[in-house]
Amino acid sequence: MPEPLPGQLVRVPLGKANTPTSGIVLQVGDAALLGDLPPAKAKPILELTPARINPDLLALAQWLATYYVCPLGMVLQTMLPAAVKKQIGRKRILRYTPLPPSPTTAPAEAALTKPLRAALARLRALPESDFPAEPAALRRLAAISSPSVKRLHAAGLLTESADDTVSARAGAFGEEASTPPPDANAAPAPPAPRLTPTPDQARALASLVPALGSFSAHLLRGITGSGKTEVYLRLIEHLLAARPSATAIVLVPEIALTPQTSRRFLDRFGSGSVAVLHSGLTQAQRNAQWTACAKGQVRVVVGARSAVFAPVPTLGLVIVDEEHDSSYKQDQLPRYHARDVAVKRAHLANCPVLLGSATPSLESWANTRPHSPSTPRARYHLHELTTRAGNARLPEVRIVDLLDERRARAQQPGGWRDRHLHLLGPTLEKAIARTLADRGQVMLLLNRRGYANYISCPDPNCGWVMHCNHCDATVVYHKAAGVDRSGVPIPGGFVRCHHCLAELLLPTACPTCARRPNTFGLGTQRVEEELQRKFLPDFGITIGQTLLRLDADTMTTGADYFHALDRFAKGEVRILLGTQMIAKGLDFPNVALVGVINADTALSLPDFRAAERTFQLVCQVAGRAGRADRPGLVIVQTASPTAEPIVLAAAHDYTTFANNELACRAAVGLPPIGRMARIVCRDRDLDRATAHAADLAHALTEARDALPDPQSVRIRGPMPCPISRIDDHHRQAIELLSSSRGTLQGLLAGLRAQGLLLSDTHTAIDVDPIALL
């Protein structure tokens, strides 16, 4: 067996039973690596597999384990997909070559039967270029059966060579496994026309192209529709022209990884050169893609968060599109942020990294500014696209006060007798009607699923509100006929907890006073019902036909999502209603109206990022309108019409918002000006969770007080989390804030080295958290 290489996946005997177990080689050396372990106790490796994490990724794994306070094994497990570890789809292909006649082979030939001698003669008569050959090829070329091949090999007259390959590579390069197959009778789509760069794009490329070849970090802030993707494509073209063996990794949010997105890369670089990594792949396809990347067979890798670990041998460029998107942060071990990992990976590979967004995260925006008088240079280079590509213009955005809308409806004829709950105000209603009459399309955003998010007793003296039995949170009513997960019919709908996913039938009576419960609040289902009621008579708007709802309840697979977008693109669907999944990466030229049903859903959350998220969501969804020559209109309904995030998003004024928000964060030392780590202690027993959190807080305080500057770290808590119980686990939080990343890392690393801070089922350590609920 050859010597293993660092990063190689191997099979080793584990435990007294010597159970074959997968492992990854971290280091290769002599017996000194064993330390105090007697050499006699070392066991031999059972098998070397072809899968290997390259040296850059191995160094990245060690950085992740340290930075995110996570066991190295968990990081490596994340980097190496299960399909690769299990070698799903792997095949060993055997090929054979006949030995020429010689005194050495003569005895074996003499012992052959007459048919085998004749078969060997036919093989030797073939040209050398036909070898080595698989048994099937030998059968075709020399009429020799597979058993005869095996006998000749056993006799030592054929040499054998083996090649490991992974099947199911077809479909791995852009053929979306979760996309319905194309119509066989349909004409192939013509390639997209080559676009001339806008002046903004040309300036950005003039600055970016010289950066290829060494590490540097760049932020591309481009308004919606400004052509950021075209900048990505042209920058990759420059890279491949200068270094044909290099590979670019392009990260996009999972929900934005649509056929529309991937097709642009496939059309530009060819399906054989592009690997598209997405959640709809089969295990064999995933292994095939990973293997193709590792062998350097692809030039561009396009994928979601985990594509940052693509094992390309020569990395030349990393691009993170929509870098502000929260889906880049993993919510389980290891709790890494793909944007930050992308920057580190580019640094290790000595290549540039480009982050792109219309609404950059404040972390990235702050890195384009000097951090202090002593460090006058910014960490990131800023490039801006301030105009839309082509003749498109930014849409007009109108902020509508929901209170004024209710007054206006009440003043309409018969308005005081109207008992319906109206989530669409008169202004938005009229705009939808005008757009439909002009044959335009409408996109409506409400970032809340279900029908009603508040179920309570109608008697104010009773006060009963329905909560989840397993979480300290209210449940959501889903109005849907059908069956539950056990196949039991659900006549009118059910209630679901969106935290632990527990489901119950909607109660028919208040458990306290037996009155019939009320269902209050808003959700995409309620809006869907209202749209059909109001626009079916005049425009034929029908649920499931000309009106589609895109949320996690209706889009259960990637195929559902892609099919819905395809129908909208063809014009079959007139109104597209959805949650935040419709706010990103969609480009439909006929969308003339975008409506935000309620812009306040995230504004009042107990999280210091609430304003930033609200601004980003409103600004991003507004960018779906007016993407072509047709002017666009955006109507934002809100109960907070003077709230700064909403006002500035309506004005498309990112710079003012970002600078104001950074000043607010700086005043109290919150990220990105300060650094944060959050520890959540979880236990089914409240007393145990509280005691564990108190012990950790005490240990952290002692370690902090031993620092040269104890004031450099603030410790908040322990305290109950805003959602203090999820899935029957009580949750206590400790938050650490510091102006120095190194100080915070040293504090956590010290406790981890003492065994006082462990990432396990009872303790979650989140470095640079993006959500505090």
Side-chain angles (χ1 to χ4, degrees):
M1 180 182 295
E3 185 176 271
L5 298 172
Q8 189 164 12
L9 180 68
V10 297
R11 302 273 287 173
V12 297
L14 187 65
K16 293 182 179 180
N18 290 327
T19 305
T21 306
S22 295
I24 294 174
V25 177
L26 295 181
Q27 194 174 349
V28 177
D30 55 23
L33 289 177
L34 297 176
D36 296 332
L37 183 71
K41 289 193 174 184
K43 298 178 181 180
I45 292 173
L46 300 177
E47 179 189 5
L48 299 179
T49 76
R52 183 191 175 204
I53 294 175
N54 63 42
D56 280 353
L57 281 178
L58 205 56
L60 183 66
Q62 292 165 338
W63 176 83
L64 261 94
T66 301
Y67 185 79
Y68 290 104
V69 195
C70 176
L72 179 59
M74 294 293 295
V75 176
L76 294 172
Q77 185 174 336
T78 299
M79 284 186 168
L80 206 61
V84 176
K85 285 182 284 192
K86 297 177 182 177
Q87 291 294 288
I88 295 175
R90 175 187 172 195
K91 293 181 179 179
R92 170 157 287 192
I93 298 177
L94 301 177
R95 295 183 175 89
Y96 298 91
T97 304
L99 292 173
S102 69
T104 306
T105 63
E109 291 181 46
L112 295 177
T113 63
K114 185 175 180 181
L116 282 178
R117 280 199 299 271
L120 180 61
R122 291 196 298 275
L123 289 176
R124 286 172 171 168
L126 294 173
E128 289 185 12
S129 59
D130 288 341
F131 299 103
E134 299 177 34
L138 298 179
R139 184 168 58 251
R140 184 180 69 255
L141 296 170
I144 178 172
S145 66
S146 295
S148 296
V149 171
K150 291 180 180 178
R151 293 191 189 100
L152 290 173
H153 174 253
L157 298 170
L158 297 181
T159 60
E160 182 183 77
S161 59
D163 182 30
D164 289 313
T165 186
V166 182
S167 64
R169 185 179 168 191
F173 305 102
E175 297 295 331
E176 304 282 343
S178 53
T179 305
D183 184 355
N185 298 319
R194 187 78 173 183
L195 302 174
T196 301
T198 66
D200 281 348
Q201 291 171 337
R203 279 192 294 271
L205 286 166
S207 299
L208 288 165
V209 170
L212 296 171
S214 62
F215 172 72
S216 54
H218 303 261
L219 176 64
L220 179 64
R221 188 185 80 82
I223 63 172
T224 55
S226 59
K228 293 183 290 296
T229 304
E230 184 63 24
V231 174
Y232 304 156
L233 293 167
R234 288 179 179 269
L235 187 59
I236 295 171
E237 284 180 330
H238 282 284
L239 169 70
L240 299 182
R243 299 170 60 194
S245 63
T247 301
I249 293 177
V250 183
L251 301 185
V252 297
E254 176 76 42
I255 202 63
L257 186 52
T258 63
Q260 187 183 44
T261 302
S262 59
R263 182 56 53 191
R264 295 193 64 179
F265 289 90
L266 294 164
D267 288 345
R268 189 69 62 96
F269 302 106
S271 60
S273 299
V274 180
V276 182
L277 309 177
H278 58 89
S279 59
L281 297 176
T282 65
Q283 293 283 64
Q285 287 172 335
R286 195 174 302 280
N287 189 16
Q289 288 185 73
W290 196 94
T291 302
C293 291
K295 290 181 177 179
Q297 295 173 350
V298 296
R299 303 277 65 83
V300 183
V301 179
V302 182
R305 180 177 61 215
S306 61
V308 73
F309 302 126
V312 296
T314 308
L315 183 60
L317 174 66
V318 183
I319 296 172
V320 185
D321 190 28
E322 305 290 359
E323 62 85 30
H324 68 277
D325 195 274
S326 60
S327 67
Y328 283 127
K329 176 75 170 181
Q330 180 155 292
D331 60 0
Q332 57 187 1
L333 281 176
R335 292 178 175 82
Y336 69 92
H337 199 300
R339 177 197 63 224
D340 300 334
V341 175
V343 174
K344 183 63 179 181
R345 181 159 191 200
H347 181 259
L348 291 171
N350 195 31
C351 73
V353 57
L354 174 60
L355 314 178
S357 176
T359 55
S361 64
L362 290 186
E363 283 77 8
S364 296
W365 184 252
N367 280 326
T368 66
R369 300 290 184 262
H371 278 243
S372 67
S374 60
T375 55
R377 292 184 60 186
R379 292 179 180 146
Y380 292 178
H381 303 274
L382 177 64
H383 315 273
E384 296 190 276
L385 309 179
T386 57
T387 58
R388 282 191 158 184
N391 298 320
R393 293 174 297 170
L394 283 171
E396 175 192 355
V397 182
R398 297 180 192 167
I399 299 175
V400 175
D401 189 336
L402 284 171
L403 184 58
D404 291 342
E405 293 292 285
R406 292 191 184 101
R407 292 193 189 110
R409 188 175 297 282
Q411 293 170 1
Q412 292 177 349
W416 62 274
R417 291 192 300 268
D418 188 350
R419 307 300 297 174
H420 287 104
L421 174 64
H422 295 272
L423 299 179
L424 304 176
T427 303
L428 184 54
E429 269 185 47
K430 292 174 184 176
I432 293 173
R434 283 195 303 269
T435 303
L436 295 176
D438 292 342
R439 306 302 302 168
Q441 290 176 292
V442 180
M443 294 180 71
L444 299 173
L445 168 77
L446 176 60
N447 204 24
R448 183 166 286 166
R449 292 185 289 134
Y451 190 86
N453 63 320
Y454 193 77
I455 303 166
S456 65
C457 179
D459 186 349
N461 296 319
C462 174
W464 173 79
V465 177
M466 189 172 185
H467 285 77
C468 175
N469 295 329
H470 309 284
C471 306
D472 289 337
T474 57
V475 291
V476 177
Y477 172 47
H478 289 256
K479 187 177 182 180
V483 296
D484 65 13
R485 295 177 179 177
S486 304
V488 178
I490 304 174
F494 57 93
V495 295
R496 175 185 292 156
C497 174
H498 286 184
H499 299 285
C500 71
L501 305 182
E503 293 179 0
L504 292 170
L505 291 175
L506 179 68
T508 57
C510 169
T512 304
C513 66
R515 290 176 180 266
R516 183 178 178 180
N518 281 343
T519 53
F520 289 109
L522 67 168
T524 49
Q525 282 185 310
R526 191 165 228 151
V527 178
E528 180 184 49
E529 186 180 87
E530 183 177 345
L531 286 166
Q532 179 172 270
R533 185 177 73 246
K534 291 179 175 178
F535 298 105
L536 173 61
D538 294 334
F539 301 102
I541 297 302
T542 308
I543 293 173
Q545 297 178 26
T546 51
L547 165 62
L548 279 187
R549 172 165 55 93
L550 266 68
D551 58 27
D553 299 321
T554 58
M555 304 291 109
T556 56
T557 67
D560 294 334
Y561 180 60
F562 300 150
H563 183 59
L565 295 182
D566 184 56
R567 289 183 60 197
F568 191 65
K570 292 176 179 177
E572 298 173 11
V573 174
R574 307 290 308 283
I575 301 178
L576 195 65
L577 164 69
T579 54
Q580 62 181 344
M581 64 172 59
I582 70 168
K584 306 163 192 170
L586 303 183
D587 187 354
F588 298 108
N590 199 37
V591 173
L593 174 66
V594 168
V596 179
I597 305 297
N598 191 317
D600 309 321
T601 52
L603 198 55
S604 58
L605 290 176
D607 192 316
F608 69 89
R609 298 183 194 272
E612 181 183 4
R613 290 201 186 97
T614 299
F615 177 91
Q616 289 169 340
L617 188 59
V618 173
C619 195
Q620 288 281 341
V621 75
R624 302 311 110 198
R627 305 281 287 199
D629 295 341
R630 187 171 191 162
L633 173 64
V634 181
I635 294 177
V636 180
Q637 298 187 146
T638 173
S640 309
T642 59
E644 184 175 88
I646 295 174
V647 172
L648 293 177
H652 309 287
D653 190 353
Y654 172 81
T655 303
T656 299
F657 170 79
N659 291 338
N660 290 351
E661 186 70 10
L662 280 177
C664 291
R665 305 263 186 100
V668 289
L670 286 171
I673 307 304
R675 311 299 295 212
M676 175 183 277
R678 184 172 186 246
I679 303 170
V680 176
C681 300
R682 304 172 295 194
D683 203 290
R684 289 180 177 271
D685 184 275
L686 176 59
D687 291 338
R688 283 201 298 265
T690 304
H692 182 200
D695 291 343
L696 266 181
H698 178 71
L700 287 165
T701 302
E702 285 191 336
R704 186 270 313 271
D705 291 345
L707 293 173
D709 180 13
Q711 300 301 316
S712 63
V713 177
R714 288 184 291 153
I715 300 174
R716 304 197 310 190
M719 55 194 171
C721 295
I723 303 177
S724 59
R725 183 173 59 107
I726 294 180
D727 198 16
D728 292 322
H729 283 75
H730 299 275
R731 306 167 72 239
Q732 297 283 315
I734 304 168
E735 294 173 1
L736 293 87
L737 291 146
S738 175
S739 59
S740 167
R741 179 178 66 181
T743 301
L744 204 58
Q745 285 293 314
L747 189 67
L748 296 173
L751 263 67
R752 186 184 180 194
Q754 299 174 48
L756 301 175
L757 186 61
L758 302 174
S759 294
D760 55 22
T761 56
H762 295 290
T763 311
I765 306 168
D766 193 357
V767 177
D768 301 332
I770 65 167
L772 301 181
L773 295 182

